Amino acid sequence: MGTEDWLIVENRTDGEVFVTDAGGNGNGNSSLGSIGAGSSGFGAGAVDRCAERALVAHAGSPDGPVVARRTAAEGQACVDPWVIGPHD
């Protein structure tokens, strides 16, 4: 899989967000990566952008408040990038 196949996360919030697998246990063990405020990049690690996989973005830490969700259907539809806005 080349980098063009990876999910790009665009963080438009004013804080770091941590991406976790929605099926994770919520204690941080399901963390896939983080992306800084106002940045974009591979914040979900090497997650295939077309994977039917639900993801959750948390503010401040892998177990922080949820600020955005990416549904499995959005993954299957190859929605890219995943934009996390300040009011999601």
Side-chain angles (χ1 to χ4, degrees), residues 3-81:
T3 57
E4 69 276 1
D5 297 321
W6 295 351
L7 175 66
I8 301 289
V9 178
E10 187 174 319
N11 180 3
R12 294 183 182 173
T13 71
D14 59 1
E16 184 175 17
V17 295
F18 289 76
V19 177
T20 62
D21 191 305
N25 57 15
N27 68 4
N29 292 336
S30 61
S31 181
L32 300 171
S34 67
I35 191 79
S39 299
S40 65
F42 304 112
V47 172
D48 184 334
R49 70 183 181 94
C50 296
E52 189 176 350
R53 186 173 183 184
L55 304 173
V56 180
H58 301 267
S61 72
D63 58 352
V66 173
V67 293
R69 295 182 186 275
R70 175 185 183 256
T71 66
E74 288 172 328
Q76 187 177 32
C78 298
V79 173
D80 186 48

